[in-house]
Amino acid sequence: MKLCMIGTGYVGLVSGVCFSDLGNTVYCVDKDINKIESLNNGNIPIYEPGLEEILKKNYKQKRLFFTNDLKKAVLKSEIIFICVGTPTKKNSNSADLKFVFNVVKELKKIIKTYKIIVTKSTVPVTTGDKIENILARLKKNKLVDVVSNPEFLREGEAIRDFIYPDRVVVGTNSKKANKILQSLYLPIIKKKNKYFNTSRRGAELIKYASNAFLATKISYINELANLCEKTGVDIKDISVGIGSDQRIGERFLRAGPAYGGSCFPKDTRALSDTAKKFKSNLSIVDTVIKSNENRKKLLIKKIDKILKGKIKNKVITFLGVTFKPNTDDMREASSIPMIKYLNKKKCTIKYYDPSGEKNEFKRLQNVKYHSTINSACSNSDLIIIHTEWNDFKLINFKKIVKKNSFIIYDMRNIYSPTKMKRLNIKYFGIGR
Ligand code: UGA
């Protein structure tokens, strides 16, 4: 099939590359001339394991194209995927849909023969109706079907999530569009019946409901971790003990710092906002948002407590600053408020992240990036393991820290407290 992906951000690029690998011809379009030029030169703007190889392979095979020419790409394609950003609006919780609607207005001028328009961008329930209203004339002439097909790709695991999805959700009541999308997804859904056709509004809401549920699960385990710290129970045991009940499920029960990234914070806010617009109460989601905000403050307080309030002139190391491993994404990473707070308190902060130096910290005077774990930890008073990159799982701290006494605050519970005690290292985890 011939596909057009509008927007070469995370969603558009990963989906476009993976669709081309399934044998489709894919035109990836972006307004950003530099981005398209650099993609055409083989440079990938995001860090996603495995993406580069698949991209280069399909580019060589001439199944994958990068262009600024929206019109040409649309005219050549049968299915148009809208994959532009829907960030939180300034001074509000709503999703900003201006990029989506701008694309739709352009499409209105271009489309002359039947096309399926699919929103992959995360959009609030009823956005598809609004898109259809803009395209009313085309719809009346049966030249478009507007479909919702949300993505469930995790950063760092996106290729695997695309090829082995738990489900593919397609929201449309058009039999024609549904049949075409089913055949597009056939190579990845053939093993099991993982294709779920629902209403367009249903699909739009499923996306938000999934992310908000996962955020709820994380906040729940994080709050339980606080109780564990007070009662001397290990949160990891609670996760295993409740997670093995299949009704609960073991995944997304890892306690840690506040959840971050480009999706959970933004989508929980937008879902809460949508509920308010429809005069419906989603108090659970509102509480999750609050709980996650509180968690940022709570962990900062804990750092204060670990250092007994004496932060000034201390050397503090961050191992990992991204919101999760296998990505270079810093959006809403909980390391940002932590490092900013500690920087104000006049300590020296050294950080190492496998995805490199971060713009977020470049202007902070006492915050320095180190290119190795050893150099970041060498003279540290406190080592904070913020992100669970594999690189941090087997460190011999006694060997690399050149101080007699230092503290480890393991925010991802990678290390065993008993082993740390045996090594005579002062160790704090989360909920243990
Ligand atoms: C999330 C969803 O998992 C995807 O299904 C969805 O497609 C995506 O948002 C999106 O809407 O585009 P992502 O934000 O890439 O994916 O990352 P997650 O792996 O879900 O992690 C989000 C945050 O939760 C991270 O800060 C992570 O550290 C935290 N987390 C996750 C925990 O603290 N504990 C866990 O057990 C799991």
Side-chain angles (χ1 to χ4, degrees), residues 341-384:
Y341 169 85
L342 293 169
N343 181 56
K344 264 194 199 148
K345 292 274 172 180
K346 304 226 168 345
C347 60
T348 301
I349 295 170
K350 302 165 84 182
Y351 76 95
Y352 168 75
D353 192 284
S355 69
E357 193 174 3
K358 302 295 164 202
N359 288 334
E360 285 74 4
F361 305 133
K362 273 189 181 155
R363 278 205 211 129
L364 303 180
Q365 226 187 6
N366 294 321
V367 183
K368 293 274 166 307
Y369 172 72
H370 286 251
S371 59
T372 65
I373 297 174
N374 287 19
S375 115
C377 294
S378 59
N379 60 338
S380 212
D381 295 298
L382 170 66
I383 296 169
I384 296 177

Side-chain angles (χ1 to χ4, degrees), residues 251-395:
R251 298 175 70 192
F252 277 69
L253 282 179
R254 280 176 286 115
Y259 62 72
S262 63
C263 306
F264 288 173
K266 160 179 92 72
D267 293 348
T268 43
R269 286 194 293 261
L271 179 60
S272 159
D273 180 76
T274 304
K276 285 189 182 86
K277 279 184 184 145
F278 285 91
K279 299 201 171 14
S280 185
N281 189 358
L282 266 181
S283 62
I284 292 178
V285 178
D286 292 339
T287 306
V288 168
I289 297 168
K290 249 188 236 156
S291 169
N292 202 53
E293 284 309 309
N294 284 342
R295 185 143 195 88
K296 293 178 193 164
K297 294 177 201 141
L298 197 100
L299 261 59
I300 286 173
K301 263 194 201 156
K302 178 80 188 226
I303 299 173
D304 234 336
K305 202 170 157 195
I306 288 174
L307 290 173
K308 301 195 169 83
K310 291 176 188 146
I311 296 178
K312 199 173 168 189
N313 299 329
K314 287 276 184 331
V315 179
I316 302 181
T317 300
F318 274 76
L319 291 180
V321 287
T322 49
F323 82 99
K324 64 180 280 189
N326 299 322
T327 177
D328 57 356
D329 202 336
M330 286 297 288
R331 282 176 286 181
E332 308 228 18
S334 62
S335 61
I336 299 174
M338 283 180 203
I339 290 182
K340 283 191 174 160
Y341 169 85
L342 293 169
N343 181 56
K344 264 194 199 148
K345 292 274 172 180
K346 304 226 168 345
C347 60
T348 301
I349 295 170
K350 302 165 84 182
Y351 76 95
Y352 168 75
D353 192 284
S355 69
E357 193 174 3
K358 302 295 164 202
N359 288 334
E360 285 74 4
F361 305 133
K362 273 189 181 155
R363 278 205 211 129
L364 303 180
Q365 226 187 6
N366 294 321
V367 183
K368 293 274 166 307
Y369 172 72
H370 286 251
S371 59
T372 65
I373 297 174
N374 287 19
S375 115
C377 294
S378 59
N379 60 338
S380 212
D381 295 298
L382 170 66
I383 296 169
I384 296 177
I385 306 173
H386 174 270
T387 318
E388 69 278 35
W389 288 87
N390 278 341
D391 314 48
F392 306 146
K393 290 184 177 164
L394 281 171
I395 300 176

Side-chain angles (χ1 to χ4, degrees), residues 15-51:
S15 309
V17 168
C18 290
F19 275 134
S20 72
D21 204 42
L22 297 178
N24 301 288
T25 301
V26 182
Y27 302 94
C28 293
V29 185
D30 207 293
K31 279 195 161 165
D32 187 333
I33 295 174
N34 295 332
K35 208 174 186 185
I36 291 298
E37 194 181 296
S38 92
L39 279 163
N40 276 321
N41 289 328
N43 301 319
I44 301 178
I46 55 168
Y47 179 99
E48 182 61 40
L51 186 66

